Amino acid sequence: MSKRNSSRHLVAKMTLKEKAALCAGRDWWHIRGLRRLGVPEVRVADGPHGLRVQTDDVDPLGGINISLPATCFPPASALAASFDVDLVREVGKALGEECQAQEVNIVLGPAINIKRSPLGGRNFEYFSEDPCLVGHLAGAYIEGVQSQGVGTSLKHFAANNQEHQRMTISETIDERTLREIYLPGFETAVKQGHPWTVMSSYNLINSVYVGESHHLLTEVMRDEWGFDGLVVSDWGAVNDRVAGLLAGLDVEMPGPGDSTSALIAQAVKQGRVPVEVLDQAVERIIDVAQRAEAGRRQFEKDGRESGDGRAGDLYERHHQVAVKAATESAILLKNEGGTLPLANEQETVFIGEFAAVPRFEGGGSSHVNATRIVSAVEAAADLPGVSYQPGFPAQGDQANRAWHEEAVQAAAKAQVAVIFAGLPESYESEGYDRSHMRLPQCQDDLISAVVAVQPNTVVVLHNGSVVEMPWAGDVRAILEMYLGGQGVGQASVDLLFGRVNPSGKLPETAPLKLADNPSYLNFPGDDVVEYREGVFVGYRYYDTKSMEVQFPFGHGLSFTQFAYSQPRLNAERFDSSGPLVVEVDVTNIGAVAGKEVVQLYVAPPSATRVPRPIHELKGFVKVDLKPGATVTARFELGVRAFSYWDVNTHDWARDEGDYVIEVGSSSRDIRGRATVAVPASPRPKLVVDANTRVEQLLAEPATRGLLTQAMKMMGMQESGEGPDFNPEMAEAGLAESPLRQLRSFNGFSDADLNALIGFFNARIGNTKGAASIAAHAKIIPALVRVARRGGK
């Protein structure tokens, strides 16, 4: 018996009350089971970068439940900077192993919302501003976790991009922007990773709660993308339980939800909810419960076969994975004069309390009780030339004048000063957004003071999202660690002293100042927030405007250098029946081994039917090269790589033209280009009416010739016009003119206009027959007269 048939068999044995009860959790951390029929409970736990399995013990200082020790891997803000799907999959696998060790069936992650604004309070928990990067990394994370027989909960679907009023805010997002920016990451993750569950978000989109949106939960996610798992609510996100069930929301969390379960049963009895809808939700609940049970049994079987020693060194192994992930994700933003790496014997002073008490994770539901924490001071204990000065406190923004002065004095005496700066935990957390992008003033002041006495100053940053860097031009080097997990201190030292070559890239643009961000005037809103920047999010905005930024998307330096060949294409013209294959050779031309992230962007043709970004990331691959070695990076591009969302057809569409394939080291460091001709996507036939514009008829092959003839005739008659006649203006005016202007400017009767409309529709193939010869004969001179009026 198949799993689905087994589920249906069990559902057939349930009472209405039992079915309805399964649609709500048992408590905070369990999806309800049904012991009578052998349906097991499913245990869930917070993630996504480390388990938070809460105990009954309460922290006397924090007043919150203490969670079991677990490995704190780098949060998504850091992990995304690796641009490494294999690394993310490895982290996911380790997280899945810890889920099994702590008897957790589903981890609540990954969180993949787009970084619309640098101020988002949970940006540390999200991957990127780019949906291509988001989707592939999330898919790898899901594959890694679920390889251990543990499920994931892809969250927060959808557009949960701010904390301000997150439970009630309505986001006004146009259809194209939603499809091109805020949904594709989820689409790729669903299709690639096949998560067991998806978590619906608190917010409304265009005045409809996501948890009540049949369009998003069923039509898009299930019918279009093929999602076959369970939809669970974010904790406390349910507004109308019956409406949610009809939309496709299977489980309300947390439990017990007895009152809302009663509402479901009542709605079924009254015929407001077809019993088939309830049965389908219950079948999905049973399917996930059975997957979880099977995964647990396999884990236990594997444990017995290995002599019950499977978890012996689990956390030590995972600590090393956390250190590796932190080093692979760190970004060398600046390295003037080869300041880094430092020599072991250099007299180096570490400044800033973050060096001794690292900020390695964010606040809120993702907070992990780390198994161990290694600070940079501890990691550098074997380096006799390294000393330490606290400089400023890790928490808060109040300066300690004694610390400040002692740090400046130590910096003046050292050969190198390394300042460990960053955002205090109170600056960014779940529950609220940042109000600015600045570091605490005491940190900026100390950096400036140190630079004044020590030219060899390096800044190491600990932050969950980008910050303003007024001192960036003054320091010699900047190493961005983001929030690097429990191994961030060891990783920092390994990178500073050249034990590991940095290879991270910025997964988000670092603007010069907050006001440069495209959402600046429309974030966070009040009750309603309007996404007026549309598809121009992140580098799509900055690069299209050629705006100066602090550091561009995809930027990251290395201790070596890489040379790129020009990209090679397998075809000069794209054939939608197969992928366009792009290959580029990358050579390490430096003296040390290193890794490079090869980024592929697609630039649209100059003439497009809708405004499009100057280029968009469509692929990336990380390559590892020894000195002098060459490797070929290979990409495959399908139809979607050239497409935009057409709001008229409610589908993906392509413009005909020459698209430029760009390969490079960042969005602003393009090393090679190649051009491919791309045909237009099939379009619905144009239905001509009085408001159809001439430019629309010019785009139709069946009517283009006639309109082109009118254009030529207009040019021929140019010599007979007065001195104020401008043919370019005339042509532009003609292209934008609706057909009804023939009636206004040329004395066309309604009958003439209708005959002409009929003629065009016949030519296009919308109607049978043809318009009268008289209407056809009148069109060219009439259009010329319209053009004359438009050119003066």
Side-chain angles (χ1 to χ4, degrees):
M1 182 181 295
S2 68
K3 288 184 178 179
R4 183 50 56 93
N5 287 336
S6 172
S7 301
R8 290 173 181 167
H9 179 70
L10 290 172
V11 171
K13 296 181 178 181
M14 293 181 185
T15 66
L16 176 59
K17 183 178 180 180
E18 288 172 332
K19 294 177 189 177
L22 283 177
C23 293
R26 177 173 68 81
D27 55 25
W28 200 267
W29 300 115
H30 292 85
I31 296 175
R32 197 188 301 266
L34 183 57
R35 183 177 300 177
R36 181 177 73 83
L37 295 177
V39 178
E41 291 182 341
V42 175
R43 189 185 190 194
V44 303
D46 277 325
H49 51 268
L51 282 182
R52 189 173 75 103
V53 178
Q54 291 189 314
T55 66
D56 293 332
D57 298 324
V58 176
D59 182 348
L61 297 178
I64 59 174
N65 290 80
I66 297 173
S67 58
L68 296 176
T71 306
C72 181
F73 299 99
S77 59
L79 204 55
S82 73
F83 276 68
D84 190 337
V85 292
D86 293 330
L87 176 68
V88 174
R89 191 178 292 109
E90 182 181 359
V91 170
K93 178 176 179 291
L95 187 56
E97 290 174 342
E98 294 198 16
C99 285
Q100 289 288 17
Q102 297 192 18
E103 299 184 355
V104 170
N105 303 119
I106 293 176
V107 62
L108 302 177
I112 69 166
N113 297 104
I114 292 293
K115 296 185 180 184
R116 176 179 178 239
S117 166
L119 301 182
R122 293 180 83 171
N123 277 5
F124 66 86
E125 207 172 336
Y126 300 150
F127 285 108
S128 176
E129 67 187 29
D130 182 80
C132 174
L133 181 60
V134 164
H136 289 294
L137 294 183
Y141 174 103
I142 293 166
E143 289 171 339
V145 172
Q146 295 187 174
S147 71
Q148 300 305 299
V150 174
T152 55
S153 192
L154 182 66
K155 64 182 187 181
H156 310 83
F157 185 75
N160 190 141
N161 306 305
Q162 65 185 63
E163 293 301 285
H164 176 70
Q165 298 179 351
R166 63 174 175 162
M167 298 186 184
T168 57
I169 195 80
S170 180
E171 298 167 336
T172 302
I173 312 176
D174 67 85
E175 181 183 353
R176 182 184 167 208
T177 298
L178 192 62
R179 286 290 193 158
E180 291 189 25
I181 303 297
Y182 297 101
L183 294 186
F186 286 96
E187 179 183 3
T188 301
V190 164
K191 290 180 176 179
Q192 176 185 327
H194 306 286
W196 289 11
T197 76
V198 168
M199 184 188 296
S200 64
S201 55
Y202 291 112
N203 53 286
L204 300 83
I205 296 180
N206 299 325
S207 302
V208 177
Y209 279 99
V210 173
E212 297 171 15
S213 174
H214 186 271
H215 173 65
L216 289 175
L217 299 185
T218 298
E219 294 172 18
V220 173
M221 192 161 61
R222 294 193 186 279
D223 298 343
E224 287 187 30
W225 300 348
F227 176 65
D228 62 356
L230 196 63
V231 176
V232 301
S233 75
D234 203 341
W235 269 230
V238 169
N239 172 62
D240 183 325
R241 186 65 189 98
V242 173
L245 182 65
L246 287 169
L249 177 62
D250 302 307
V251 176
E252 175 186 8
M253 291 298 290
D258 295 335
S259 60
T260 54
S261 296
L263 291 175
I264 290 174
Q266 182 183 43
V268 172
K269 290 178 181 178
Q270 295 174 345
R272 293 186 290 119
V273 173
V275 70
E276 294 81 10
V277 171
L278 176 59
D279 287 353
Q280 192 172 42
V282 175
E283 286 175 20
R284 291 194 282 255
I285 295 167
I286 295 172
D287 287 345
V288 167
Q290 291 176 338
R291 282 194 217 177
E293 185 178 45
R296 186 65 194 170
R297 286 176 178 171
Q298 185 62 48
F299 173 82
E300 292 173 347
K301 177 183 176 182
D302 292 346
R304 285 194 297 271
E305 289 175 353
S306 63
D308 200 30
R310 179 164 162 161
D313 63 345
L314 183 74
Y315 295 108
E316 177 55 34
R317 286 193 294 108
H318 289 176
H319 176 73
Q320 298 307 319
V321 173
V323 172
K324 174 185 175 183
T327 57
E328 295 282 331
S329 302
I331 310 161
L332 184 59
L333 294 176
K334 180 180 180 180
N335 193 24
E336 185 178 309
T339 300
L340 298 180
L342 303 176
N344 290 348
E345 63 275 8
Q346 276 182 291
E347 292 183 16
T348 304
V349 58
F350 284 2
I351 297 173
E353 199 175 17
F354 284 129
V357 186
R359 171 103 194 284
F360 62 94
E361 64 175 333
S365 62
S366 68
H367 189 85
V368 179
N369 180 12
T371 56
R372 58 186 288 201
I373 303 166
V374 178
S375 71
V377 171
E378 292 170 324
D382 62 338
L383 299 172
V386 174
S387 60
Y388 165 66
Q389 292 288 336
F392 49 76
Q395 300 302 326
D397 53 9
Q398 295 300 313
N400 184 312
R401 296 311 307 173
W403 284 8
H404 177 103
E405 292 171 5
E406 290 167 359
V408 173
Q409 292 171 8
K413 296 176 182 178
Q415 291 178 292
V416 180
V418 179
I419 303 175
F420 289 77
L423 297 176
E425 186 172 353
S426 61
Y427 272 45
E428 51 184 352
S429 172
E430 179 179 357
Y432 54 87
D433 298 311
R434 286 196 288 166
S435 59
H436 58 78
M437 280 176 54
R438 299 185 299 274
L439 293 176
Q441 190 61 47
C442 63
Q443 295 188 27
D444 282 340
D445 289 346
L446 182 58
I447 294 172
S448 297
V450 168
V451 168
V453 300
Q454 176 52 261
N456 294 320
T457 298
V458 177
V459 174
V460 178
L461 285 171
H462 298 75
N463 46 292
S465 187
V466 290
V467 296
E468 292 176 4
M469 307 177 201
W471 34 259
D474 301 324
V475 301
R476 298 294 294 273
I478 305 172
L479 182 63
E480 172 65 85
M481 299 302 298
Y482 276 106
L483 303 182
Q486 68 183 54
V488 67
Q490 182 67 62
S492 300
V493 172
D494 287 347
L495 291 157
L496 288 169
F497 289 89
R499 299 168 187 168
V500 179
N501 192 347
S503 61
K505 302 283 186 174
L506 271 176
E508 57 188 318
T509 307
L512 286 170
K513 58 184 183 300
L514 176 61
D516 292 341
N517 183 263
S519 71
Y520 177 67
L521 296 177
N522 298 285
F523 182 95
D526 189 20
D527 295 329
V528 175
V529 57
E530 298 185 3
Y531 285 43
R532 293 190 179 183
E533 69 277 6
V535 300
F536 294 94
V537 174
Y539 72 87
R540 287 168 167 80
Y541 173 79
Y542 299 113
D543 291 2
T544 302
K545 288 195 67 177
S546 299
M547 180 181 289
E548 184 181 1
V549 297
Q550 190 76 70
F551 297 105
F553 176 87
H555 170 73
L557 304 176
S558 171
F559 295 152
T560 189
Q561 299 83 41
F562 301 96
Y564 285 61
S565 72
Q566 290 300 306
R568 301 182 297 274
L569 312 183
N570 68 333
E572 295 181 353
R573 184 175 178 82
F574 175 69
D575 181 355
S576 59
S577 64
L580 178 72
V581 178
V582 182
E583 292 183 336
V584 58
D585 297 331
V586 181
T587 302
N588 183 344
I589 59 174
V592 296
K595 296 181 179 181
E596 169 71 333
V597 176
V598 186
Q599 301 160 46
L600 185 149
Y601 298 84
V602 173
S606 55
T608 57
R609 288 194 292 163
V610 297
R612 299 187 67 177
I614 191 171
H615 58 190
E616 297 178 279
L617 183 74
K618 297 300 179 181
F620 58 92
V621 63
K622 196 166 192 175
V623 296
D624 190 355
L625 292 165
K626 296 186 183 309
T630 298
V631 69
T632 299
R634 188 175 189 273
F635 305 88
E636 293 187 0
L637 301 180
V639 171
R640 281 280 292 274
F642 306 100
S643 302
Y644 63 90
W645 186 260
D646 189 332
V647 297
N648 295 310
T649 62
H650 308 291
D651 201 356
W652 296 99
R654 301 182 310 279
D655 289 325
E656 181 179 10
D658 291 336
Y659 289 71
V660 180
I661 307 301
E662 303 175 340
V663 292
S665 191
S666 81
S667 73
R668 298 274 180 103
D669 184 10
I670 302 302
R671 306 288 185 86
R673 293 176 170 86
T675 300
V676 60
V678 176
S681 56
R683 289 184 293 164
K685 293 178 181 178
L686 175 68
V687 177
V688 182
D689 59 25
N691 284 307
T692 298
R693 299 183 305 279
V694 171
E695 62 187 355
Q696 292 176 280
L697 295 168
L698 281 167
E700 291 291 332
T703 57
R704 184 180 301 144
L706 180 63
L707 274 299
T708 302
Q709 185 179 353
M711 294 285 198
K712 289 181 179 178
M713 188 172 179
M714 179 182 68
M716 290 169 60
Q717 296 188 13
E718 177 184 343
S719 59
E721 298 294 336
D724 294 333
F725 182 77
N726 185 319
E728 290 78 15
M729 290 179 59
E731 185 173 328
L734 175 60
E736 296 180 357
S737 299
L739 291 179
R740 58 178 166 76
Q741 281 197 335
L742 296 173
R743 183 176 54 199
S744 303
F745 292 162
N746 295 279
F748 258 43
S749 66
D750 286 341
D752 288 339
L753 181 61
N754 290 333
L756 186 63
I757 291 170
F759 171 80
F760 282 133
N761 277 318
R763 289 290 293 267
I764 292 171
N766 293 324
T767 58
K768 294 182 179 180
S772 68
I773 297 298
H776 182 187
K778 293 175 69 175
I779 179 62
I780 293 177
L783 287 174
V784 172
R785 287 193 292 274
V786 171
R788 287 175 187 167
R789 293 176 181 268
K792 293 185 177 180

